[in-house]
Amino acid sequence: MERPELRVLIADDDEDDYLITRDLLSQIGRPRFHTNWAPSYRAALQAIELNQHDIYLFDYRLGEGDGLELLREALARGCKAPIILLTGTDDWETDVEAMKAGAADFLVKGHLDVRLLERSIRYAMERKRAQEELLEYANEIERKNRDLAQAVRVAQEATRLKSQFLANVSHEIRTPMNGVLGMTELLLLDASLTVEQRDYAETAYRSAEALLDIIDSILDLSKIEAGKLQLERVDFTPAEVVQEVLKLISGRARSKGLELNCHIAAEAHGPLRGDPVRLRQVLLNLVSNAIKFTERGHVLVRVSVAEDSCGAIQMLFEVEDTGIGLTAEACGRLFEPFVQADGSITRKYGGTGLGLAICKQLVGMMDGQVSVDSEPGKGSRFWFTARLQRPEGAARAEQAVAEEAS
Ligand SMILES: Nc1ncnc2c1ncn2[C@@H]1O[C@H](COP(=O)(O)OP(=O)(O)OP(=O)(O)O)[C@@H](O)[C@H]1O
Ligand SMILES: [Mg+2]
């Protein structure tokens, strides 16, 4: 296919020089050139404004201004076509300056021949095409990034609204459920119930309790996801929290014939600053799981120091059991909401699969990590870390923040 001719503007205040350049252009076989002449700086500027040329050849000397100024002016006015500067003298400094200003090439008139001019124009046009392609590509990427960012915002907002909705609904269900529990409790205090009536009322009470547990889990998880859950920062003794959890669960362990033990490091007996209620919640879920999924043997809780930095302690809590254990594949996905190792386990042991998801979120809020090592049939070791501040360290840190702010 025949290439269309290229429109060239030659800006030169010397007509003879213009004619020489035009002549050279006419000797280039392909592409063909259609030339226009701008004999002055002003005429060139007017032609550039019209934006009708594919390439510009500016002489360095142009009467009232120079070619370099014209080049800068043209670029400032949004000229996209390549501009080649022609000069009478081979001056290295002007050459560098022209390149820095954005010239496509810098040619010395005395050395100019057809081949050199053709090559310079060809390279300039090719570079321009590549630049346009690159720009189009960059624009495309930018557009995609913007779309992606928008999609992420929409998805985040949808998740937030869903969590907010779940938090509201579970909160609303909690109130009547407490009514059901309270009333059933009163009913159970009635001595005149027949054995059958008592059995019904007890089943209703246990069911209501289980339902309240599920609702509490959903409420917790959705509150965390909606960013509504704040951790407390109070002084407490971690060892006491562990003992409380063990006491609460010891009945269940005893009834299954399991040994329940603990090793607590000395550091956990001193006061530390953090959220005891949430620490208790994480521990309680891990220890309840350990007892739920262990038929014989023991459950051991270990508390030690993972890292001791000046103002804070990273505490390590481990819950080890000799229960059914988990495959490596199951271990990898347990901390997602509603995930349970397998369906038959759910039917046998009950639960919603929210416990570990909540633990993961809470532990994250305590600057810690949670994980599990396990072997099917042998048992599991669930562990998590939590950053607890030393009260005097916390006081110092708060003082430093206050001083920095003032
Ligand atoms: N100590 C353990 N030994 C073996 N499997 C466990 C152990 N702890 C957790 N799992 C597996 O991980 C799953 C998820 O535990 P998670 O605590 O999240 O939920 P759940 O106990 O089933 O229900 P929920 O805690 O919401 O009442 C369990 O269903 C079980 O399959
Ligand atoms: Mg659980």
Side-chain angles (χ1 to χ4, degrees):
M1 198 175 74
E2 184 67 22
R3 279 206 258 168
E5 61 179 17
L6 287 183
R7 287 151 307 163
V8 192
L9 180 81
I10 302 173
D12 203 319
D13 60 351
D14 183 325
E15 186 169 4
D16 290 339
D17 280 359
Y18 156 65
L19 291 173
I20 293 172
T21 313
R22 193 185 68 171
D23 187 47
L24 285 174
L25 283 173
S26 70
Q27 292 177 50
I28 297 176
R30 259 197 299 168
R32 308 295 309 165
F33 294 94
H34 174 86
T35 25
N36 291 116
W37 179 37
S40 67
Y41 186 96
R42 194 167 317 169
L45 216 50
Q46 277 169 0
I48 289 164
E49 285 280 307
L50 296 176
N51 191 25
Q52 288 173 338
H53 295 91
D54 301 303
I55 190 147
Y56 295 92
L57 304 180
F58 293 169
D59 186 21
Y60 189 66
R61 294 196 195 294
L62 270 173
E64 71 249 53
D66 67 32
L68 206 56
E69 267 175 52
L70 185 62
L71 167 85
R72 290 198 179 106
E73 190 66 42
L75 294 178
R77 291 178 187 210
C79 173
K80 296 276 184 287
I83 300 171
I84 296 172
L85 225 61
L86 304 175
T87 168
T89 48
D90 191 358
D91 172 19
W92 187 81
E93 272 174 24
T94 320
D95 186 343
V96 171
E97 212 182 335
M99 287 303 166
K100 277 189 183 158
D105 205 352
F106 181 84
L107 301 173
V108 183
K109 284 181 187 176
H111 302 163
L112 208 55
D113 60 25
V114 177
R115 269 195 57 209
L116 192 62
L117 190 59
E118 184 275 327
R119 190 168 177 275
S120 175
I121 292 178
R122 185 157 44 84
Y123 271 52
M125 297 302 293
E126 192 49 42
R127 256 200 316 275
K128 183 193 152 212
R129 199 190 53 74
Q131 270 169 4
E132 279 172 357
E133 262 181 30
L134 210 64
L135 198 69
E136 177 52 35
Y137 188 57
N139 286 341
E140 175 72 22
I141 289 180
E142 205 181 308
R143 259 198 309 277
K144 283 200 174 136
N145 279 347
R146 267 202 307 272
D147 290 352
L148 220 61
Q150 173 66 8
V152 169
R153 269 198 299 278
V154 169
Q156 278 171 339
E157 181 59 9
T159 307
R160 200 188 60 77
L161 287 175
K162 182 208 75 184
S163 303
Q164 179 92 55
F165 171 75
L166 275 176
N168 289 345
V169 169
S170 25
H171 187 75
E172 291 303 317
I173 299 175
R174 246 185 145 270
T175 317
M177 275 314 295
N178 277 318
V180 173
L181 273 170
M183 290 301 116
T184 324
E185 210 168 356
L186 284 181
L187 191 63
L188 281 167
L189 289 177
D190 186 347
S192 66
L193 289 184
T194 65
V195 173
E196 200 176 26
Q197 283 168 338
R198 181 165 297 280
D199 187 31
Y200 290 163
E202 275 172 355
T203 306
Y205 188 81
R206 274 198 307 276
S207 305
E209 254 187 341
L211 191 52
L212 198 62
D213 253 8
I214 296 172
I215 292 162
D216 279 345
S217 294
I218 296 176
L219 183 62
D220 273 344
L221 197 63
S222 40
K223 253 191 187 165
I224 295 171
E225 282 182 353
K228 289 273 166 65
L229 193 113
Q230 294 275 318
L231 289 194
E232 279 216 63
R233 279 162 59 82
V234 295
D235 293 348
F236 73 102
T237 311
E240 280 174 13
V241 173
V242 178
Q243 298 292 4
E244 265 174 48
V245 167
L246 294 181
K247 205 162 144 195
L248 206 73
I249 213 107
S250 59
R252 241 186 280 170
R254 213 174 309 121
S255 70
K256 288 184 87 172
L258 300 174
E259 233 181 279
L260 184 60
N261 294 318
C262 66
H263 294 321
I264 303 177
E267 286 84 347
H269 288 277
L272 289 167
R273 189 164 293 183
D275 190 330
V277 175
R278 297 303 172 179
L279 179 65
R280 179 176 180 275
Q281 186 176 356
V282 177
L283 265 172
L284 191 59
N285 186 50
L286 295 189
V287 181
S288 323
N289 279 353
I291 289 175
K292 180 157 73 165
F293 298 108
T294 303
E295 296 309 329
R296 70 184 69 84
H298 72 260
V299 170
L300 171 67
V301 179
R302 239 184 266 121
V303 184
S304 56
V305 174
E307 203 185 307
D308 195 345
S309 62
C310 46
I313 289 183
Q314 195 82 18
M315 284 239 136
L316 172 66
F317 298 85
E318 295 164 279
V319 180
E320 187 187 281
D321 66 51
T322 50
I324 60 173
L326 290 151
T327 62
E329 187 269 327
C331 287
R333 55 189 174 87
L334 280 185
F335 296 92
E336 299 303 318
F338 301 109
V339 170
Q340 297 182 311
D342 76 53
S344 57
I345 283 178
T346 313
R347 281 190 295 282
K348 184 168 172 198
Y349 297 97
T352 50
L354 284 175
L356 290 178
I358 295 172
C359 289
K360 184 179 170 187
Q361 301 272 2
L362 290 177
V363 167
M365 291 173 80
M366 294 188 231
D367 287 337
Q369 286 181 330
V370 58
S371 190
V372 55
D373 312 311
S374 188
E375 214 178 306
K378 292 250 168 87
S380 314
R381 182 183 76 102
F382 279 81
W383 61 264
F384 69 96
T385 53
R387 198 175 137 86
L388 301 170
Q389 283 198 305
R390 288 214 169 81
E392 67 276 20
R396 267 204 307 276
E398 275 158 21
Q399 193 182 346
V401 170
E403 277 170 9
E404 208 163 278
S406 64

